[in-house]
Amino acid sequence: MSELVARTGRHQQRYDAGFRLVAGCIPFKYQSSKRSNGGTSEKIVEVLMINSTSGPGLLFPKGGWENDETVEEAASREALEEAGVRGDLLKFLGHYEFKSKTLQDEFSPEGLCKAAMFALLVKEELESWPEQSTRQRTWLTIPEAIEHCRYPWMRDALEQGFSKWHADGMITTMKDDEYPPVSSPDQYL
């Protein structure tokens, strides 16, 4: 049993113009792959996905961005709560809008959501985490992840955000002098 506890409820949830604000990440690591001819190994990037609790397909960790945290803190918290991983946020990948079929409320009656997604380099995989009784982790190559991704917007974040950034040599990262901590929700809207 995990000593950490997942946040629940919507009393601190952020909204903007009818959108519920969400934060998430694409957790990744490098795996060495030995060549069949015995040559030098190469590093392959793998991304971590989790099962959905409401149906088939795999997801990246994401959840509500709350009033008492920055968007980066929310993305890191969701990775810890849902996937049991800690790491370094290296890149803001973009915003992705989607419609939730199940999470409609008085502030977002149509279930509209706007997710701020980040690349998270995994440094630690916990043996126990808050949602481990309902979540299973799976490490996949990018082509495997694209194939198994449940939602088109998450596939876009992987293909157009993460894969493009990674293919470009990860030239820009979230250095403190380039990306100051978020002090207001408007910085990522």
Side-chain angles (χ1 to χ4, degrees), residues 167-187:
D168 288 344
M170 302 178 352
I171 294 169
T172 58
T173 60
M174 291 182 64
K175 295 178 184 168
D176 289 342
D177 57 337
E178 294 176 6
Y179 297 92
V182 176
S183 57
S184 84
D186 296 338
Q187 283 184 262

PDB file of all heavy atoms in Angstrom, residues 167-187:
ATOM      1  N   ALA A 167      13.120  14.206 -32.023  1.00  0.00           N
ATOM      2  CA  ALA A 167      13.803  14.053 -33.310  1.00  0.00           C
ATOM      3  C   ALA A 167      14.682  15.263 -33.630  1.00  0.00           C
ATOM      4  O   ALA A 167      15.718  15.120 -34.289  1.00  0.00           O
ATOM      5  CB  ALA A 167      12.788  13.846 -34.429  1.00  0.00           C
ATOM      6  N   ASP A 168      14.289  16.428 -33.141  1.00  0.00           N
ATOM      7  CA  ASP A 168      15.082  17.638 -33.358  1.00  0.00           C
ATOM      8  C   ASP A 168      16.279  17.712 -32.411  1.00  0.00           C
ATOM      9  O   ASP A 168      16.941  18.739 -32.330  1.00  0.00           O
ATOM     10  CB  ASP A 168      14.216  18.897 -33.179  1.00  0.00           C
ATOM     11  CG  ASP A 168      13.227  19.086 -34.317  1.00  0.00           C
ATOM     12  OD1 ASP A 168      13.397  18.446 -35.375  1.00  0.00           O
ATOM     13  OD2 ASP A 168      12.282  19.871 -34.143  1.00  0.00           O
ATOM     14  N   GLY A 169      16.533  16.628 -31.699  1.00  0.00           N
ATOM     15  CA  GLY A 169      17.694  16.573 -30.816  1.00  0.00           C
ATOM     16  C   GLY A 169      17.457  17.191 -29.455  1.00  0.00           C
ATOM     17  O   GLY A 169      18.409  17.500 -28.745  1.00  0.00           O
ATOM     18  N   MET A 170      16.204  17.354 -29.065  1.00  0.00           N
ATOM     19  CA  MET A 170      15.853  17.917 -27.766  1.00  0.00           C
ATOM     20  C   MET A 170      16.606  19.226 -27.529  1.00  0.00           C
ATOM     21  O   MET A 170      17.147  19.478 -26.464  1.00  0.00           O
ATOM     22  CB  MET A 170      16.149  16.904 -26.647  1.00  0.00           C
ATOM     23  CG  MET A 170      15.404  15.620 -26.838  1.00  0.00           C
ATOM     24  SD  MET A 170      15.645  14.275 -25.659  1.00  0.00           S
ATOM     25  CE  MET A 170      16.952  14.749 -24.610  1.00  0.00           C
ATOM     26  N   ILE A 171      16.656  20.057 -28.568  1.00  0.00           N
ATOM     27  CA  ILE A 171      17.445  21.284 -28.532  1.00  0.00           C
ATOM     28  C   ILE A 171      17.019  22.214 -27.401  1.00  0.00           C
ATOM     29  O   ILE A 171      17.849  22.771 -26.704  1.00  0.00           O
ATOM     30  CB  ILE A 171      17.386  22.000 -29.898  1.00  0.00           C
ATOM     31  CG1 ILE A 171      18.084  21.127 -30.933  1.00  0.00           C
ATOM     32  CG2 ILE A 171      17.997  23.381 -29.823  1.00  0.00           C
ATOM     33  CD1 ILE A 171      17.873  21.563 -32.358  1.00  0.00           C
ATOM     34  N   THR A 172      15.736  22.375 -27.208  1.00  0.00           N
ATOM     35  CA  THR A 172      15.286  23.245 -26.130  1.00  0.00           C
ATOM     36  C   THR A 172      14.733  22.404 -24.993  1.00  0.00           C
ATOM     37  O   THR A 172      14.028  21.429 -25.215  1.00  0.00           O
ATOM     38  CB  THR A 172      14.191  24.219 -26.610  1.00  0.00           C
ATOM     39  OG1 THR A 172      13.094  23.460 -27.116  1.00  0.00           O
ATOM     40  CG2 THR A 172      14.714  25.161 -27.676  1.00  0.00           C
ATOM     41  N   THR A 173      15.089  22.779 -23.796  1.00  0.00           N
ATOM     42  CA  THR A 173      14.566  22.130 -22.606  1.00  0.00           C
ATOM     43  C   THR A 173      14.109  23.197 -21.632  1.00  0.00           C
ATOM     44  O   THR A 173      14.348  24.385 -21.844  1.00  0.00           O
ATOM     45  CB  THR A 173      15.625  21.224 -21.922  1.00  0.00           C
ATOM     46  OG1 THR A 173      16.731  22.041 -21.563  1.00  0.00           O
ATOM     47  CG2 THR A 173      16.058  20.094 -22.826  1.00  0.00           C
ATOM     48  N   MET A 174      13.499  22.778 -20.569  1.00  0.00           N
ATOM     49  CA  MET A 174      12.950  23.712 -19.592  1.00  0.00           C
ATOM     50  C   MET A 174      14.022  24.130 -18.595  1.00  0.00           C
ATOM     51  O   MET A 174      14.038  23.676 -17.468  1.00  0.00           O
ATOM     52  CB  MET A 174      11.760  23.090 -18.875  1.00  0.00           C
ATOM     53  CG  MET A 174      10.568  22.919 -19.762  1.00  0.00           C
ATOM     54  SD  MET A 174       9.157  22.247 -18.907  1.00  0.00           S
ATOM     55  CE  MET A 174       8.799  23.523 -17.737  1.00  0.00           C
ATOM     56  N   LYS A 175      14.917  25.001 -19.004  1.00  0.00           N
ATOM     57  CA  LYS A 175      15.919  25.548 -18.089  1.00  0.00           C
ATOM     58  C   LYS A 175      15.256  26.669 -17.299  1.00  0.00           C
ATOM     59  O   LYS A 175      14.377  27.368 -17.794  1.00  0.00           O
ATOM     60  CB  LYS A 175      17.115  26.084 -18.865  1.00  0.00           C
ATOM     61  CG  LYS A 175      17.868  24.992 -19.595  1.00  0.00           C
ATOM     62  CD  LYS A 175      19.012  25.584 -20.382  1.00  0.00           C
ATOM     63  CE  LYS A 175      19.685  24.482 -21.179  1.00  0.00           C
ATOM     64  NZ  LYS A 175      20.602  25.014 -22.167  1.00  0.00           N
ATOM     65  N   ASP A 176      15.703  26.843 -16.079  1.00  0.00           N
ATOM     66  CA  ASP A 176      15.088  27.860 -15.219  1.00  0.00           C
ATOM     67  C   ASP A 176      15.094  29.242 -15.860  1.00  0.00           C
ATOM     68  O   ASP A 176      14.153  30.003 -15.711  1.00  0.00           O
ATOM     69  CB  ASP A 176      15.805  27.925 -13.873  1.00  0.00           C
ATOM     70  CG  ASP A 176      15.522  26.690 -13.042  1.00  0.00           C
ATOM     71  OD1 ASP A 176      14.541  25.984 -13.334  1.00  0.00           O
ATOM     72  OD2 ASP A 176      16.289  26.442 -12.113  1.00  0.00           O
ATOM     73  N   ASP A 177      16.159  29.582 -16.583  1.00  0.00           N
ATOM     74  CA  ASP A 177      16.213  30.918 -17.163  1.00  0.00           C
ATOM     75  C   ASP A 177      15.319  31.057 -18.393  1.00  0.00           C
ATOM     76  O   ASP A 177      14.955  32.156 -18.766  1.00  0.00           O
ATOM     77  CB  ASP A 177      17.652  31.299 -17.519  1.00  0.00           C
ATOM     78  CG  ASP A 177      18.315  30.327 -18.476  1.00  0.00           C
ATOM     79  OD1 ASP A 177      17.880  29.164 -18.534  1.00  0.00           O
ATOM     80  OD2 ASP A 177      19.262  30.725 -19.155  1.00  0.00           O
ATOM     81  N   GLU A 178      14.938  29.955 -19.032  1.00  0.00           N
ATOM     82  CA  GLU A 178      14.068  30.027 -20.205  1.00  0.00           C
ATOM     83  C   GLU A 178      12.589  29.948 -19.839  1.00  0.00           C
ATOM     84  O   GLU A 178      11.756  30.536 -20.465  1.00  0.00           O
ATOM     85  CB  GLU A 178      14.383  28.875 -21.170  1.00  0.00           C
ATOM     86  CG  GLU A 178      15.758  28.955 -21.783  1.00  0.00           C
ATOM     87  CD  GLU A 178      16.047  27.741 -22.635  1.00  0.00           C
ATOM     88  OE1 GLU A 178      15.135  26.914 -22.832  1.00  0.00           O
ATOM     89  OE2 GLU A 178      17.178  27.603 -23.092  1.00  0.00           O
ATOM     90  N   TYR A 179      12.266  29.162 -18.833  1.00  0.00           N
ATOM     91  CA  TYR A 179      10.879  28.923 -18.453  1.00  0.00           C
ATOM     92  C   TYR A 179      10.724  29.149 -16.953  1.00  0.00           C
ATOM     93  O   TYR A 179      10.861  28.229 -16.176  1.00  0.00           O
ATOM     94  CB  TYR A 179      10.455  27.484 -18.794  1.00  0.00           C
ATOM     95  CG  TYR A 179      10.496  27.209 -20.258  1.00  0.00           C
ATOM     96  CD1 TYR A 179      11.635  26.680 -20.855  1.00  0.00           C
ATOM     97  CD2 TYR A 179       9.408  27.478 -21.066  1.00  0.00           C
ATOM     98  CE1 TYR A 179      11.677  26.424 -22.215  1.00  0.00           C
ATOM     99  CE2 TYR A 179       9.447  27.228 -22.421  1.00  0.00           C
ATOM    100  CZ  TYR A 179      10.582  26.702 -22.987  1.00  0.00           C
ATOM    101  OH  TYR A 179      10.617  26.452 -24.318  1.00  0.00           O
ATOM    102  N   PRO A 180      10.460  30.380 -16.525  1.00  0.00           N
ATOM    103  CA  PRO A 180      10.293  30.642 -15.100  1.00  0.00           C
ATOM    104  C   PRO A 180       9.075  29.894 -14.559  1.00  0.00           C
ATOM    105  O   PRO A 180       8.173  29.545 -15.321  1.00  0.00           O
ATOM    106  CB  PRO A 180      10.085  32.158 -15.040  1.00  0.00           C
ATOM    107  CG  PRO A 180       9.617  32.542 -16.398  1.00  0.00           C
ATOM    108  CD  PRO A 180      10.210  31.543 -17.357  1.00  0.00           C
ATOM    109  N   PRO A 181       9.053  29.630 -13.249  1.00  0.00           N
ATOM    110  CA  PRO A 181       7.889  28.951 -12.661  1.00  0.00           C
ATOM    111  C   PRO A 181       6.610  29.711 -12.995  1.00  0.00           C
ATOM    112  O   PRO A 181       6.611  30.941 -13.078  1.00  0.00           O
ATOM    113  CB  PRO A 181       8.171  28.985 -11.168  1.00  0.00           C
ATOM    114  CG  PRO A 181       9.646  29.197 -11.053  1.00  0.00           C
ATOM    115  CD  PRO A 181      10.058  29.976 -12.274  1.00  0.00           C
ATOM    116  N   VAL A 182       5.542  28.986 -13.139  1.00  0.00           N
ATOM    117  CA  VAL A 182       4.261  29.599 -13.467  1.00  0.00           C
ATOM    118  C   VAL A 182       3.685  30.265 -12.241  1.00  0.00           C
ATOM    119  O   VAL A 182       3.545  29.645 -11.200  1.00  0.00           O
ATOM    120  CB  VAL A 182       3.286  28.520 -13.985  1.00  0.00           C
ATOM    121  CG1 VAL A 182       1.925  29.127 -14.232  1.00  0.00           C
ATOM    122  CG2 VAL A 182       3.821  27.900 -15.246  1.00  0.00           C
ATOM    123  N   SER A 183       3.387  31.539 -12.358  1.00  0.00           N
ATOM    124  CA  SER A 183       2.789  32.241 -11.239  1.00  0.00           C
ATOM    125  C   SER A 183       1.308  32.482 -11.468  1.00  0.00           C
ATOM    126  O   SER A 183       0.583  32.782 -10.554  1.00  0.00           O
ATOM    127  CB  SER A 183       3.506  33.572 -10.997  1.00  0.00           C
ATOM    128  OG  SER A 183       3.454  34.352 -12.169  1.00  0.00           O
ATOM    129  N   SER A 184       0.888  32.355 -12.729  1.00  0.00           N
ATOM    130  CA  SER A 184      -0.532  32.520 -13.010  1.00  0.00           C
ATOM    131  C   SER A 184      -0.946  31.523 -14.075  1.00  0.00           C
ATOM    132  O   SER A 184      -0.136  31.137 -14.915  1.00  0.00           O
ATOM    133  CB  SER A 184      -0.827  33.941 -13.486  1.00  0.00           C
ATOM    134  OG  SER A 184      -0.580  34.059 -14.872  1.00  0.00           O
ATOM    135  N   PRO A 185      -2.191  31.108 -14.050  1.00  0.00           N
ATOM    136  CA  PRO A 185      -2.642  30.141 -15.043  1.00  0.00           C
ATOM    137  C   PRO A 185      -2.571  30.688 -16.458  1.00  0.00           C
ATOM    138  O   PRO A 185      -2.491  29.936 -17.411  1.00  0.00           O
ATOM    139  CB  PRO A 185      -4.078  29.847 -14.647  1.00  0.00           C
ATOM    140  CG  PRO A 185      -4.488  30.894 -13.690  1.00  0.00           C
ATOM    141  CD  PRO A 185      -3.240  31.467 -13.099  1.00  0.00           C
ATOM    142  N   ASP A 186      -2.565  32.001 -16.633  1.00  0.00           N
ATOM    143  CA  ASP A 186      -2.558  32.596 -17.963  1.00  0.00           C
ATOM    144  C   ASP A 186      -1.266  32.315 -18.741  1.00  0.00           C
ATOM    145  O   ASP A 186      -1.246  32.401 -19.959  1.00  0.00           O
ATOM    146  CB  ASP A 186      -2.773  34.114 -17.887  1.00  0.00           C
ATOM    147  CG  ASP A 186      -4.136  34.451 -17.318  1.00  0.00           C
ATOM    148  OD1 ASP A 186      -5.020  33.587 -17.377  1.00  0.00           O
ATOM    149  OD2 ASP A 186      -4.298  35.569 -16.823  1.00  0.00           O
ATOM    150  N   GLN A 187      -0.174  31.990 -18.031  1.00  0.00           N
ATOM    151  CA  GLN A 187       1.089  31.747 -18.724  1.00  0.00           C
ATOM    152  C   GLN A 187       1.014  30.549 -19.657  1.00  0.00           C
ATOM    153  O   GLN A 187       1.775  30.485 -20.595  1.00  0.00           O
ATOM    154  CB  GLN A 187       2.210  31.534 -17.709  1.00  0.00           C
ATOM    155  CG  GLN A 187       2.681  32.834 -17.092  1.00  0.00           C
ATOM    156  CD  GLN A 187       3.828  32.611 -16.174  1.00  0.00           C
ATOM    157  OE1 GLN A 187       3.642  32.529 -14.977  1.00  0.00           O
ATOM    158  NE2 GLN A 187       5.007  32.505 -16.724  1.00  0.00           N
TER     159      GLN A 187
END
